[in-house]
Amino acid sequence: MPPTATPTTTDPAPEAAAPPPARQVLPVEERHAAELAFLAAHDEGPRPPGWALTPSAVVTFVCGSQGRALTLPPKRRKDGALPAKLVIAPKFVGERALVERCVVTLAGERGLLLVGEPGTAKSMLSELLSAAVSGSSELTVQGTAGTTEDAFRYGWNYALLLAQGPTPQALVASPVLTAMRSGKVARIEEVTRCLPEVQDALVSILSDRRVSVPELAGTPHATVPAVPGFTVIATANLRDRGVSEMSAALKRRFNFETVHPIADAAAETELVRTQATAAVRRAGAAFGVDDAVLDVLVTVFRDLRTGRSAEGWDIERPGTVLSTAEAVQVAASLGLARAYLSGGDALDLVPGHLLGAVRKDDPADHGRLLGYWDGPVRRRAEDGSALWRRLWDLRENLR
Protein backbone atom coordinates (compact mmCIF):
# COMPACT_ATOMS: atom_id res chain seq x y z
CA MET A 1 0.00 0.00 0.00
CA PRO A 2 1.56 3.25 -1.06
CA PRO A 3 2.32 5.70 1.65
CA THR A 4 -0.25 8.37 2.20
CA ALA A 5 0.85 11.64 0.72
CA THR A 6 1.40 14.35 3.24
CA PRO A 7 -1.01 17.15 2.52
CA THR A 8 0.63 20.44 1.77
CA THR A 9 -0.70 23.89 2.33
CA THR A 10 0.07 26.93 0.34
CA ASP A 11 -0.43 30.48 1.36
CA PRO A 12 -3.27 32.12 -0.49
CA ALA A 13 -2.26 34.54 -3.17
CA PRO A 14 -1.80 37.96 -1.67
CA GLU A 15 -4.68 40.28 -2.39
CA ALA A 16 -4.01 43.14 -4.70
CA ALA A 17 -3.31 46.32 -2.84
CA ALA A 18 -6.36 48.51 -2.67
CA PRO A 19 -6.01 51.73 -4.67
CA PRO A 20 -5.56 54.82 -2.56
CA PRO A 21 -8.75 56.73 -1.92
CA ALA A 22 -9.50 59.58 -4.24
CA ARG A 23 -8.84 63.08 -2.97
CA GLN A 24 -11.10 66.04 -3.54
CA VAL A 25 -8.24 68.50 -3.97
CA LEU A 26 -4.60 67.73 -4.68
CA PRO A 27 -1.88 69.93 -3.16
CA VAL A 28 -0.29 72.40 -5.55
CA GLU A 29 2.95 70.44 -5.84
CA GLU A 30 1.05 67.40 -7.10
CA ARG A 31 -1.50 69.25 -9.20
CA HIS A 32 1.24 71.11 -11.10
CA ALA A 33 4.05 68.57 -10.79
CA ALA A 34 4.77 68.58 -14.54
CA GLU A 35 5.23 72.36 -14.63
CA LEU A 36 7.45 72.37 -11.54
CA ALA A 37 9.67 69.63 -12.97
CA PHE A 38 9.90 71.45 -16.30
CA LEU A 39 10.79 74.80 -14.69
CA ALA A 40 13.42 73.15 -12.48
CA ALA A 41 15.14 71.84 -15.61
CA HIS A 42 14.52 74.90 -17.77
CA ASP A 43 16.03 77.70 -15.72
CA GLU A 44 19.74 77.22 -15.08
CA GLY A 45 20.23 80.51 -13.25
CA PRO A 46 21.42 80.84 -9.64
CA ARG A 47 19.13 79.68 -6.86
CA PRO A 48 19.06 80.73 -3.22
CA PRO A 49 20.25 77.94 -0.91
CA GLY A 50 17.63 75.23 -0.49
CA TRP A 51 15.34 76.48 -3.27
CA ALA A 52 13.79 74.05 -5.75
CA LEU A 53 13.50 76.74 -8.47
CA THR A 54 15.22 79.99 -9.31
CA PRO A 55 13.40 83.15 -8.21
CA SER A 56 12.60 83.93 -11.85
CA ALA A 57 11.09 80.47 -12.33
CA VAL A 58 9.00 80.87 -9.17
CA VAL A 59 7.47 84.08 -10.60
CA THR A 60 6.81 82.30 -13.90
CA PHE A 61 5.15 79.38 -12.11
CA VAL A 62 2.78 81.69 -10.25
CA CYS A 63 2.06 84.24 -13.01
CA GLY A 64 2.45 82.02 -16.08
CA SER A 65 4.60 82.40 -19.17
CA GLN A 66 2.14 84.88 -20.76
CA GLY A 67 1.06 82.37 -23.38
CA ARG A 68 4.62 81.81 -24.59
CA ALA A 69 5.96 78.27 -24.81
CA LEU A 70 9.22 77.81 -22.92
CA THR A 71 11.81 75.63 -24.64
CA LEU A 72 13.88 73.14 -22.68
CA PRO A 73 17.55 72.89 -23.66
CA PRO A 74 18.19 69.47 -25.31
CA LYS A 75 20.84 68.52 -22.74
CA ARG A 76 18.27 68.85 -19.92
CA ARG A 77 15.42 66.81 -21.38
CA LYS A 78 16.24 63.70 -19.33
CA ASP A 79 15.68 61.09 -22.05
CA GLY A 80 12.27 62.43 -23.01
CA ALA A 81 10.86 62.49 -19.49
CA LEU A 82 10.10 66.19 -19.91
CA PRO A 83 8.44 67.90 -22.86
CA ALA A 84 10.58 69.95 -25.20
CA LYS A 85 8.22 72.92 -24.88
CA LEU A 86 5.62 73.92 -22.33
CA VAL A 87 3.30 76.88 -21.77
CA ILE A 88 3.09 77.68 -18.06
CA ALA A 89 -0.48 78.54 -17.10
CA PRO A 90 -1.14 81.55 -14.82
CA LYS A 91 -2.43 80.49 -11.41
CA PHE A 92 -2.78 83.79 -9.57
CA VAL A 93 -4.76 86.74 -10.90
CA GLY A 94 -2.97 89.81 -9.63
CA GLU A 95 -0.03 92.11 -10.11
CA ARG A 96 3.17 90.46 -11.27
CA ALA A 97 5.09 93.12 -9.32
CA LEU A 98 3.42 91.89 -6.11
CA VAL A 99 4.57 88.33 -6.79
CA GLU A 100 8.10 89.54 -7.57
CA ARG A 101 8.28 91.43 -4.26
CA CYS A 102 7.09 88.32 -2.42
CA VAL A 103 9.77 86.19 -4.08
CA VAL A 104 12.50 88.71 -3.25
CA THR A 105 11.35 88.71 0.40
CA LEU A 106 11.56 84.92 0.57
CA ALA A 107 14.96 84.88 -1.14
CA GLY A 108 16.22 87.13 1.65
CA GLU A 109 14.99 84.59 4.22
CA ARG A 110 12.63 87.17 5.66
CA GLY A 111 9.11 86.39 6.84
CA LEU A 112 6.36 87.27 4.36
CA LEU A 113 2.94 88.40 5.59
CA LEU A 114 0.13 88.53 3.03
CA VAL A 115 -2.69 90.79 4.18
CA GLY A 116 -5.96 91.80 2.59
CA GLU A 117 -9.70 91.34 2.67
CA PRO A 118 -11.07 87.79 2.93
CA GLY A 119 -11.33 85.93 -0.36
CA THR A 120 -8.50 87.71 -2.19
CA ALA A 121 -6.50 84.48 -2.74
CA LYS A 122 -3.89 85.11 -0.04
CA SER A 123 -3.88 81.46 0.94
CA MET A 124 -3.66 80.34 -2.67
CA LEU A 125 -0.70 82.65 -3.29
CA SER A 126 0.96 81.35 -0.12
CA GLU A 127 0.47 77.78 -1.29
CA LEU A 128 1.80 78.49 -4.78
CA LEU A 129 4.90 80.25 -3.47
CA SER A 130 5.75 77.57 -0.94
CA ALA A 131 5.32 74.76 -3.48
CA ALA A 132 7.55 76.52 -6.02
CA VAL A 133 10.23 77.52 -3.51
CA SER A 134 10.53 74.34 -1.48
CA GLY A 135 8.50 71.69 -3.29
CA SER A 136 5.94 71.40 -0.47
CA SER A 137 2.94 73.46 0.58
CA GLU A 138 1.74 71.17 3.36
CA LEU A 139 3.81 72.35 6.35
CA THR A 140 0.92 74.50 7.50
CA VAL A 141 -0.46 75.84 10.80
CA GLN A 142 -4.07 77.02 10.83
CA GLY A 143 -4.29 79.90 13.25
CA THR A 144 -7.27 79.96 15.61
CA ALA A 145 -8.04 81.27 19.08
CA GLY A 146 -7.23 77.76 20.32
CA THR A 147 -3.82 77.48 18.63
CA THR A 148 -1.09 76.93 21.20
CA GLU A 149 2.63 77.65 21.15
CA ASP A 150 3.23 73.95 20.42
CA ALA A 151 1.94 74.56 16.88
CA PHE A 152 4.95 76.83 16.25
CA ARG A 153 7.56 75.03 18.36
CA TYR A 154 7.11 71.44 19.51
CA GLY A 155 5.11 69.13 21.75
CA TRP A 156 5.65 65.75 23.34
CA ASN A 157 4.50 62.20 22.82
CA TYR A 158 3.37 61.74 26.41
CA ALA A 159 3.51 57.95 26.34
CA LEU A 160 7.18 58.07 25.38
CA LEU A 161 7.79 60.99 27.74
CA LEU A 162 6.51 58.99 30.69
CA ALA A 163 8.44 55.88 29.64
CA GLN A 164 11.76 57.45 28.65
CA GLY A 165 11.73 61.00 29.91
CA PRO A 166 12.49 63.88 27.53
CA THR A 167 14.29 62.36 24.56
CA PRO A 168 14.54 63.35 20.89
CA GLN A 169 12.27 60.41 20.09
CA ALA A 170 9.55 61.75 22.37
CA LEU A 171 9.63 65.23 20.86
CA VAL A 172 6.81 65.98 18.36
CA ALA A 173 7.93 68.61 15.88
CA SER A 174 5.50 71.30 14.74
CA PRO A 175 5.14 72.08 11.02
CA VAL A 176 7.35 75.12 11.63
CA LEU A 177 10.07 73.07 13.32
CA THR A 178 9.87 70.48 10.52
CA ALA A 179 10.34 73.27 7.98
CA MET A 180 13.37 74.54 9.92
CA ARG A 181 14.96 71.09 9.94
CA SER A 182 14.32 70.44 6.24
CA GLY A 183 14.89 73.92 4.82
CA LYS A 184 11.34 74.42 3.56
CA VAL A 185 8.64 77.07 3.77
CA ALA A 186 6.25 76.99 6.72
CA ARG A 187 2.79 78.45 6.11
CA ILE A 188 0.74 80.05 8.89
CA GLU A 189 -2.86 80.77 7.98
CA GLU A 190 -4.71 83.54 9.82
CA VAL A 191 -1.83 84.36 12.14
CA THR A 192 -3.77 87.21 13.77
CA ARG A 193 -6.41 84.78 14.99
CA CYS A 194 -3.82 83.35 17.38
CA LEU A 195 -3.49 84.94 20.80
CA PRO A 196 -0.67 87.52 21.04
CA GLU A 197 1.44 85.40 23.39
CA VAL A 198 1.21 82.51 20.91
CA GLN A 199 2.09 84.75 17.95
CA ASP A 200 5.20 85.95 19.76
CA ALA A 201 6.64 82.44 19.72
CA LEU A 202 7.55 83.34 16.13
CA VAL A 203 9.72 86.28 17.14
CA SER A 204 12.75 84.25 18.17
CA ILE A 205 12.21 81.76 15.34
CA LEU A 206 12.33 84.51 12.71
CA SER A 207 15.20 86.42 14.30
CA ASP A 208 17.45 83.72 15.82
CA ARG A 209 16.62 81.02 13.26
CA ARG A 210 16.67 78.33 15.89
CA VAL A 211 14.44 76.74 18.50
CA SER A 212 15.73 75.93 21.98
CA VAL A 213 14.54 72.76 23.68
CA PRO A 214 15.28 73.32 27.39
CA GLU A 215 14.11 69.81 28.28
CA LEU A 216 17.06 68.41 26.27
CA ALA A 217 19.66 70.75 27.77
CA GLY A 218 23.12 69.21 27.91
CA THR A 219 22.55 67.07 24.81
CA PRO A 220 23.33 67.75 21.13
CA HIS A 221 19.58 68.15 20.61
CA ALA A 222 19.12 71.12 22.93
CA THR A 223 18.91 73.48 19.96
CA VAL A 224 17.32 72.96 16.55
CA PRO A 225 18.86 75.31 13.97
CA ALA A 226 17.14 76.34 10.76
CA VAL A 227 18.86 75.04 7.64
CA PRO A 228 19.13 77.12 4.44
CA GLY A 229 15.83 77.54 2.62
CA PHE A 230 13.66 77.89 5.71
CA THR A 231 11.28 80.82 5.87
CA VAL A 232 7.69 81.62 6.86
CA ILE A 233 4.69 82.84 4.87
CA ALA A 234 1.77 84.03 6.99
CA THR A 235 -1.65 85.40 6.03
CA ALA A 236 -4.00 87.76 7.83
CA ASN A 237 -7.41 89.22 6.96
CA LEU A 238 -8.00 92.93 7.37
CA ARG A 239 -11.75 92.81 8.01
CA ASP A 240 -12.20 89.66 10.05
CA ARG A 241 -13.59 89.85 13.55
CA GLY A 242 -12.00 88.20 16.54
CA VAL A 243 -8.42 88.92 15.57
CA SER A 244 -5.47 89.85 17.77
CA GLU A 245 -3.13 92.71 17.04
CA MET A 246 0.43 91.66 16.25
CA SER A 247 3.17 92.98 18.49
CA ALA A 248 5.59 95.53 17.08
CA ALA A 249 8.44 93.05 17.54
CA LEU A 250 6.68 90.44 15.40
CA LYS A 251 5.66 92.97 12.74
CA ARG A 252 9.32 93.92 12.29
CA ARG A 253 10.14 90.30 11.40
CA PHE A 254 7.77 90.33 8.43
CA ASN A 255 7.54 92.15 5.14
CA PHE A 256 3.88 93.08 4.61
CA GLU A 257 2.32 92.71 1.16
CA THR A 258 -1.33 93.60 0.51
CA VAL A 259 -3.31 91.37 -1.85
CA HIS A 260 -6.08 93.48 -3.39
CA PRO A 261 -9.34 92.31 -4.98
CA ILE A 262 -9.11 91.64 -8.72
CA ALA A 263 -9.25 94.96 -10.54
CA ASP A 264 -10.27 93.74 -14.00
CA ALA A 265 -13.89 92.57 -14.36
CA ALA A 266 -13.15 90.28 -17.31
CA ALA A 267 -10.30 88.60 -15.43
CA GLU A 268 -12.51 88.08 -12.38
CA THR A 269 -15.31 86.60 -14.52
CA GLU A 270 -12.87 84.18 -16.16
CA LEU A 271 -11.52 83.14 -12.76
CA VAL A 272 -15.04 82.57 -11.41
CA ARG A 273 -15.91 80.50 -14.48
CA THR A 274 -12.76 78.38 -14.24
CA GLN A 275 -12.98 77.64 -10.54
CA ALA A 276 -16.75 77.09 -10.50
CA THR A 277 -16.43 74.71 -13.44
CA ALA A 278 -13.75 72.73 -11.59
CA ALA A 279 -15.89 72.59 -8.43
CA VAL A 280 -18.93 71.29 -10.32
CA ARG A 281 -16.84 68.71 -12.17
CA ARG A 282 -15.47 67.43 -8.84
CA ALA A 283 -19.11 66.89 -7.87
CA GLY A 284 -19.56 64.72 -10.97
CA ALA A 285 -21.46 67.12 -13.21
CA ALA A 286 -20.95 69.47 -16.12
CA PHE A 287 -21.06 73.23 -15.58
CA GLY A 288 -24.14 74.59 -17.35
CA VAL A 289 -24.26 78.28 -16.40
CA ASP A 290 -23.95 80.52 -19.44
CA ASP A 291 -21.61 83.48 -19.74
CA ALA A 292 -24.36 86.09 -19.53
CA VAL A 293 -25.45 84.89 -16.10
CA LEU A 294 -21.85 84.81 -14.90
CA ASP A 295 -21.33 88.37 -16.12
CA VAL A 296 -24.40 89.50 -14.14
CA LEU A 297 -23.24 87.62 -11.04
CA VAL A 298 -19.73 89.09 -11.09
CA THR A 299 -21.12 92.57 -11.78
CA VAL A 300 -23.37 92.36 -8.72
CA PHE A 301 -20.48 91.19 -6.54
CA ARG A 302 -18.18 93.94 -7.78
CA ASP A 303 -20.83 96.63 -7.32
CA LEU A 304 -21.62 95.57 -3.75
CA ARG A 305 -17.95 95.06 -2.88
CA THR A 306 -16.80 98.49 -4.02
CA GLY A 307 -19.91 100.52 -3.18
CA ARG A 308 -20.00 101.98 -6.68
CA SER A 309 -21.30 100.65 -9.98
CA ALA A 310 -19.47 100.74 -13.29
CA GLU A 311 -21.87 103.55 -14.31
CA GLY A 312 -20.77 105.61 -11.30
CA TRP A 313 -23.86 105.11 -9.13
CA ASP A 314 -23.27 105.04 -5.39
CA ILE A 315 -24.29 101.83 -3.59
CA GLU A 316 -24.58 101.09 0.10
CA ARG A 317 -22.03 98.35 0.78
CA PRO A 318 -23.08 95.33 2.85
CA GLY A 319 -21.15 94.64 6.04
CA THR A 320 -20.12 91.19 4.83
CA VAL A 321 -17.20 90.80 2.43
CA LEU A 322 -18.36 89.82 -1.05
CA SER A 323 -15.10 88.41 -2.34
CA THR A 324 -14.23 86.60 -5.54
CA ALA A 325 -14.17 83.39 -3.52
CA GLU A 326 -17.81 83.98 -2.53
CA ALA A 327 -18.69 84.60 -6.19
CA VAL A 328 -17.10 81.26 -7.09
CA GLN A 329 -19.21 79.51 -4.45
CA VAL A 330 -22.42 81.09 -5.73
CA ALA A 331 -21.54 80.24 -9.35
CA ALA A 332 -20.78 76.65 -8.34
CA SER A 333 -24.11 76.43 -6.50
CA LEU A 334 -25.92 77.64 -9.62
CA GLY A 335 -24.09 75.02 -11.67
CA LEU A 336 -24.92 72.22 -9.25
CA ALA A 337 -28.59 73.23 -9.10
CA ARG A 338 -28.80 73.22 -12.88
CA ALA A 339 -27.06 69.85 -13.10
CA TYR A 340 -28.87 67.94 -10.38
CA LEU A 341 -32.19 69.67 -9.67
CA SER A 342 -33.33 70.79 -13.13
CA GLY A 343 -33.97 74.17 -11.61
CA GLY A 344 -34.75 75.97 -14.86
CA ASP A 345 -32.81 79.05 -15.87
CA ALA A 346 -29.80 79.74 -13.65
CA LEU A 347 -30.68 83.45 -13.57
CA ASP A 348 -33.85 82.61 -11.61
CA LEU A 349 -31.67 81.20 -8.83
CA VAL A 350 -29.34 84.19 -8.54
CA PRO A 351 -31.35 86.29 -6.02
CA GLY A 352 -31.78 83.45 -3.53
CA HIS A 353 -28.13 82.46 -3.61
CA LEU A 354 -27.04 86.10 -3.40
CA LEU A 355 -29.19 86.57 -0.31
CA GLY A 356 -27.47 83.58 1.28
CA ALA A 357 -24.07 85.12 0.56
CA VAL A 358 -24.96 88.64 1.73
CA ARG A 359 -26.99 87.97 4.88
CA LYS A 360 -24.27 86.36 7.01
CA ASP A 361 -23.06 88.91 9.53
CA ASP A 362 -25.61 91.71 9.71
CA PRO A 363 -29.42 91.34 9.25
CA ALA A 364 -29.42 94.90 7.88
CA ASP A 365 -27.52 93.62 4.83
CA HIS A 366 -30.83 92.19 3.59
CA GLY A 367 -32.15 95.73 3.28
CA ARG A 368 -28.95 96.84 1.55
CA LEU A 369 -29.39 94.10 -1.05
CA LEU A 370 -32.99 95.21 -1.63
CA GLY A 371 -31.68 98.75 -2.00
CA TYR A 372 -29.28 97.53 -4.67
CA TRP A 373 -32.21 95.96 -6.53
CA ASP A 374 -34.18 99.21 -6.28
CA GLY A 375 -31.17 101.17 -7.54
CA PRO A 376 -28.74 99.78 -10.14
CA VAL A 377 -30.81 96.69 -11.04
CA ARG A 378 -33.93 98.78 -11.69
CA ARG A 379 -32.03 101.48 -13.58
CA ARG A 380 -30.34 98.93 -15.85
CA ALA A 381 -33.72 97.31 -16.49
CA GLU A 382 -35.18 100.69 -17.42
CA ASP A 383 -32.25 101.31 -19.77
CA GLY A 384 -33.47 98.39 -21.88
CA SER A 385 -31.32 95.42 -20.79
CA ALA A 386 -33.48 92.30 -21.08
CA LEU A 387 -31.27 90.36 -18.69
CA TRP A 388 -31.40 93.02 -15.96
CA ARG A 389 -35.15 93.38 -16.56
CA ARG A 390 -35.59 89.71 -15.79
CA LEU A 391 -33.43 90.13 -12.69
CA TRP A 392 -35.54 93.08 -11.59
CA ASP A 393 -38.68 90.97 -11.99
CA LEU A 394 -37.15 88.45 -9.55
CA ARG A 395 -37.03 91.01 -6.72
CA GLU A 396 -39.80 89.17 -4.87
CA ASN A 397 -37.39 86.23 -4.45
CA LEU A 398 -35.42 88.37 -2.00
CA ARG A 399 -38.27 88.53 0.52
Side-chain angles (χ1 to χ4, degrees), residues 196-220:
E197 57 269 25
V198 175
Q199 295 178 26
D200 282 345
L202 290 170
V203 172
S204 61
I205 291 173
L206 291 173
S207 57
D208 301 336
R209 300 283 160 165
R210 62 179 179 270
V211 169
S212 297
V213 186
E215 297 88 344
L216 300 179
T219 75

Side-chain angles (χ1 to χ4, degrees), residues 49-296:
W51 279 41
L53 300 179
T54 67
S56 175
V58 172
V59 174
T60 301
F61 174 71
V62 175
C63 299
S65 57
Q66 301 176 321
R68 178 174 58 91
L70 304 181
T71 302
L72 196 65
K75 64 179 181 179
R76 300 179 70 86
R77 291 179 188 173
K78 299 181 179 178
D79 301 325
L82 296 173
K85 294 185 177 182
L86 188 65
V87 176
I88 306 300
K91 301 162 191 68
F92 172 73
V93 180
E95 298 178 0
R96 186 183 183 92
L98 165 68
V99 177
E100 290 175 347
R101 291 195 302 270
C102 292
V103 171
V104 168
T105 295
L106 297 174
E109 295 185 337
R110 186 166 173 80
L112 171 65
L113 182 61
L114 302 173
V115 301
E117 293 188 351
T120 50
K122 299 182 298 297
S123 295
M124 183 180 74
L125 179 56
S126 165
E127 189 178 8
L128 290 167
L129 289 170
S130 59
V133 168
S134 65
S136 174
S137 63
E138 298 194 296
L139 294 173
T140 305
V141 176
Q142 178 61 55
T144 69
T147 300
T148 65
E149 191 175 318
D150 291 359
F152 297 150
R153 294 170 58 83
Y154 58 88
W156 295 98
N157 179 324
Y158 286 102
L160 288 177
L161 188 65
L162 291 172
Q164 304 174 359
T167 63
Q169 293 74 28
L171 186 143
V172 179
S174 69
V176 177
L177 190 62
T178 300
M180 294 177 69
R181 285 172 165 172
S182 55
K184 296 187 181 297
V185 177
R187 299 172 55 223
I188 302 174
E189 293 292 316
E190 311 289 358
V191 65
T192 52
R193 287 195 171 277
C194 302
L195 296 175
E197 57 269 25
V198 175
Q199 295 178 26
D200 282 345
L202 290 170
V203 172
S204 61
I205 291 173
L206 291 173
S207 57
D208 301 336
R209 300 283 160 165
R210 62 179 179 270
V211 169
S212 297
V213 186
E215 297 88 344
L216 300 179
T219 75
H221 308 285
T223 301
V224 180
V227 304
F230 165 72
T231 191
V232 172
I233 304 176
T235 65
N237 286 325
L238 294 178
R239 291 181 59 182
D240 266 4
R241 299 171 183 173
V243 300
S244 301
E245 178 69 17
M246 295 173 66
S247 68
L250 184 56
K251 287 180 179 179
R252 288 195 298 270
R253 269 70 179 180
F254 282 104
N255 276 357
F256 284 59
E257 290 291 347
T258 301
V259 183
H260 296 285
I262 299 172
D264 183 67
E268 183 171 9
T269 302
E270 180 59 30
L271 179 64
V272 170
R273 179 188 296 106
T274 301
Q275 295 200 0
T277 299
V280 173
R281 284 178 179 169
R282 287 198 302 271
F287 187 70
V289 180
D290 61 40
D291 289 348
V293 174
L294 282 181
D295 287 340
V296 166

